[in-house]
Amino acid sequence: MPTVQVKRPVDRARCMLIAELAIEAERYQDVVSEIKKIVFAYNARLTVEERSLLSIAYKNLTNTLRSSWRIVEAVEAQTSVQATKNAKRRRELLLVRQQRHKIENDLLDTCNDIIDLLDRYLLLAAKPGEEAVFYSKMKGDYYRYLAEFGPEKDRKRFGETSLQAYKNAYKRALTTLDALDPTRLGLALNFSVFYHDVYKSPARACHLAKSAFDDAIQSLNPKTTAANPTLRDSLSILQLLRDDLVLWVEEM
């Protein structure tokens, strides 16, 4: 008689315990696997803590690949100069380029994984307001990484998709979130970085960053912010916005 497989419900607390342990151990793919179990079992309704772990995991996975790309790209530039008159260096240059292409494809796979999760599950289930802004910002972020470090032939398309995702997120943020909300400020920070790094427009980057910075400063009120649990996060992002503004103004 065949054995009947009984599908057990996903133990949410167990998944979170493993995910938190995996974060400490820097096993970010394990974090993704555990949070995905919750996404699929609970109709893509994540708590703030679950959402944060998912974000941290993908950020670290892509940060490693982006760092690797920069290193290999620097080696490629150096080898390219030496390869003009050296056959051995030309062979080395081909190998270095192959490694860069491999990193680009690994980044493409990782970014497509989180973008697919966002498009098919998380964004569809998101509540209007902070949650929807958070996920829309994530979509803009990972398309931005592809626009900078993905396969070169697709970078323009990735940049255009990133811009649209950021615009959608920012439109939602302006109408649903307070100017001092850390999710809105984090979006403004990343959106302005997009204009600077991808579209090479310090002017637009400065305009967006300064507008977000000024709106947040104007909304600071000792009576309403004293008990605000996210104030420290907001102030940290404001400092980053200010630092970027100083650098970008110098550029112009």
Side-chain angles (χ1 to χ4, degrees):
M1 184 175 180
T3 304
V4 177
Q5 296 291 333
V6 179
K7 187 176 181 180
R8 297 181 179 180
V10 170
D11 186 334
R12 196 166 195 158
R14 180 179 182 277
C15 289
M16 274 297 286
L17 180 61
I18 296 173
E20 289 169 347
L21 180 61
I23 282 286
E24 293 296 323
E26 298 183 0
R27 292 181 57 84
Y28 301 112
Q29 196 59 59
D30 290 347
V31 179
V32 170
S33 297
E34 294 303 317
I35 301 300
K36 277 185 175 181
K37 292 177 184 177
I38 298 174
V39 170
F40 301 146
Y42 293 92
N43 298 319
R45 299 295 304 135
L46 297 182
T47 65
V48 173
E49 292 77 14
E50 292 162 353
R51 191 181 71 189
S52 177
L53 288 180
L54 184 71
S55 177
I56 292 170
Y58 275 109
K59 185 173 182 179
N60 278 278
L61 288 171
T62 52
N63 279 352
T64 299
L65 290 166
R66 291 158 66 202
S67 177
S68 298
W69 188 94
R70 290 188 182 99
I71 293 170
V72 173
E73 195 271 341
V75 173
E76 180 182 351
Q78 184 179 11
T79 307
S80 180
V81 172
Q82 299 168 345
T84 54
K85 298 179 181 180
N86 190 313
K88 181 181 177 182
R89 286 297 189 182
R90 285 196 290 273
R91 291 193 295 271
E92 291 177 358
L93 181 60
L94 289 175
L95 294 175
V96 172
R97 283 176 176 165
Q98 287 175 7
Q99 185 63 22
R100 175 170 59 81
H101 292 154
K102 183 179 185 301
I103 295 169
E104 289 172 358
N105 287 327
D106 288 346
L107 181 68
L108 180 65
D109 290 341
T110 303
C111 290
N112 278 341
D113 189 47
I114 177 58
I115 289 168
D116 182 69
L117 195 67
L118 288 164
D119 281 341
R120 295 178 62 191
Y121 301 97
L122 298 174
L123 278 166
L124 295 177
K127 292 181 179 178
E130 192 272 342
E131 188 176 8
V133 171
F134 184 92
Y135 288 139
S136 295
K137 170 187 168 294
M138 281 186 73
K139 183 174 178 178
D141 289 341
Y142 288 99
Y143 271 116
R144 172 165 61 90
Y145 300 156
L146 290 175
E148 292 182 272
F149 304 102
E152 193 164 353
K153 63 182 177 63
D154 297 317
R155 288 182 188 177
K156 182 179 179 182
R157 174 172 60 85
F158 290 141
E160 291 170 350
T161 309
S162 177
L163 176 62
Q164 191 58 53
Y166 278 136
K167 282 184 174 180
N168 290 340
Y170 208 60
K171 183 178 179 180
R172 288 172 172 170
L174 291 175
T175 57
T176 61
L177 301 181
D178 183 79
L180 203 57
D181 184 278
T183 298
R184 174 170 163 175
L185 287 174
L187 168 61
L189 176 66
N190 288 17
F191 196 1
S192 60
V193 169
F194 166 86
Y195 275 131
H196 181 271
D197 292 356
V198 178
Y199 272 29
K200 309 300 181 186
S201 177
R204 280 191 285 183
C206 284
H207 177 77
L208 177 59
K210 188 176 187 306
S211 175
F213 185 89
D214 290 345
D215 288 347
I217 293 299
Q218 289 175 11
S219 71
L220 278 172
N221 184 326
K223 293 181 180 179
T224 58
T225 59
N228 186 345
T230 64
L231 181 60
R232 180 175 295 180
D233 293 336
S234 299
L235 294 177
S236 296
I237 300 170
L238 281 173
Q239 183 61 52
L240 294 173
L241 280 168
R242 183 181 179 279
D243 292 344
D244 283 345
L245 275 168
V246 171
L247 290 173
W248 297 339
V249 167
E250 288 179 356
E251 285 183 24
M252 296 189 295

